[in-house]
Amino acid sequence: MRKSWMLTAILLMVVLVVSACGSKTTDNGSSNGAQASNELEQIKSAGTMKVGMMGTYRPYNFLNDNKEMDGFDADIAREVAKRLGVEVEFVSQEFSGLTPSLQSKKIDAIISQMTITDERKQALDFSEGYITNQVKIIVKNDNNDITKLEDFKGKTIGVGLGTNDETYLRNEVLPKVGDFTIKTYDDVITSLKDLDAGRIDATINNLYALKPIIDSNGFKIKAVGEPIKSDQAGIAVRKNNPELVAALNEALQGMKDDGTYNTIFKKWFGEEPAQ
């Protein structure tokens, strides 16, 4: 009886060990499988692509009268999601918080006029550029002292916080021009209000972004001089996502090939996109 009991106990222990090993293997296998599945598959499996954008940057992205996300970027996001076979969910926040939200997997992509730069490409992957923007100097109507970057010396210049324009002013213009003050803003309209009120001397921005804000607010400001630079915005995703980037590029190219892109562009800017 004693030997029989001991044999039974040993067999039970063996069964438990084997079961534990099997469970561990299964868990690891499941975990590895989840890690191995690429983010394009995860988005398709979820049926939704979470897209981050400011929501305060008319005509690119803004909340319309129905409190729905609207604008050029929003239409691009909807069409891209449609071609991926999923719905789009918009997540609105300040521009400076978009990259941290992407890195922490709160969103799947940024479609919010994020300029493609070498610095950003170290931390993010980008689609091909989906729009080219020309950036100009903006001043008050009665300001004839600032027409070029060299005139920034000793002045206060406003710019969007965390934007490529801020990096450009700090890393390229300041060393070249000399000392001037940079004041940062979380949204475009506040910077233009300060410019109109004389609290800053100038700002820089692209022309498409300015017209609707100026028209709706009656700001007495103007663009001066030649464009100081030209930027391309792309769709940003987390690093090491070749399948997702390829799918985004395919969607964007398909939109251009069948005329959908031109239709969206003309809807928001009233002209054909530059070739």
Side-chain angles (χ1 to χ4, degrees), residues 188-226:
V188 177
I189 191 167
T190 305
S191 67
L192 295 183
K193 283 180 179 178
D194 274 9
L195 177 61
D196 188 62
R199 288 185 283 268
I200 58 176
D201 298 299
T203 185
I204 62 173
N205 213 312
N206 77 72
L207 299 180
Y208 290 139
L210 297 179
K211 189 177 186 306
I213 298 176
I214 294 171
D215 290 347
S216 61
N217 290 274
F219 294 143
K220 292 177 170 51
I221 59 180
K222 63 184 178 181
V224 296
E226 295 297 317

Side-chain angles (χ1 to χ4, degrees), residues 28-64:
N28 286 343
S30 175
S31 175
N32 290 340
Q35 292 174 359
S37 67
N38 64 65
E39 293 199 13
L40 174 61
E41 292 176 352
Q42 292 172 17
I43 290 170
K44 288 186 173 183
S45 177
T48 302
M49 181 170 69
K50 294 182 179 180
V51 174
M53 57 179 58
M54 290 175 65
T56 57
Y57 198 25
R58 189 185 295 263
Y60 296 103
N61 52 81
F62 62 96
L63 291 178
N64 61 25

Side-chain angles (χ1 to χ4, degrees), residues 142-162:
D142 60 0
N143 186 333
N144 298 313
D145 297 329
I146 299 176
T147 59
K148 56 188 183 299
L149 290 172
E150 287 73 16
D151 297 329
F152 283 4
K153 189 170 183 178
K155 303 295 195 302
T156 299
I157 312 301
V159 71
L161 176 66

Side-chain angles (χ1 to χ4, degrees), residues 51-53 98-99 102 107-112 114 124 234-237:
V51 174
M53 57 179 58
L98 289 173
T99 295
L102 182 63
I107 55 177
D108 301 310
I110 300 170
I111 306 181
S112 189
M114 180 164 279
L124 305 170
I235 302 174
V237 297

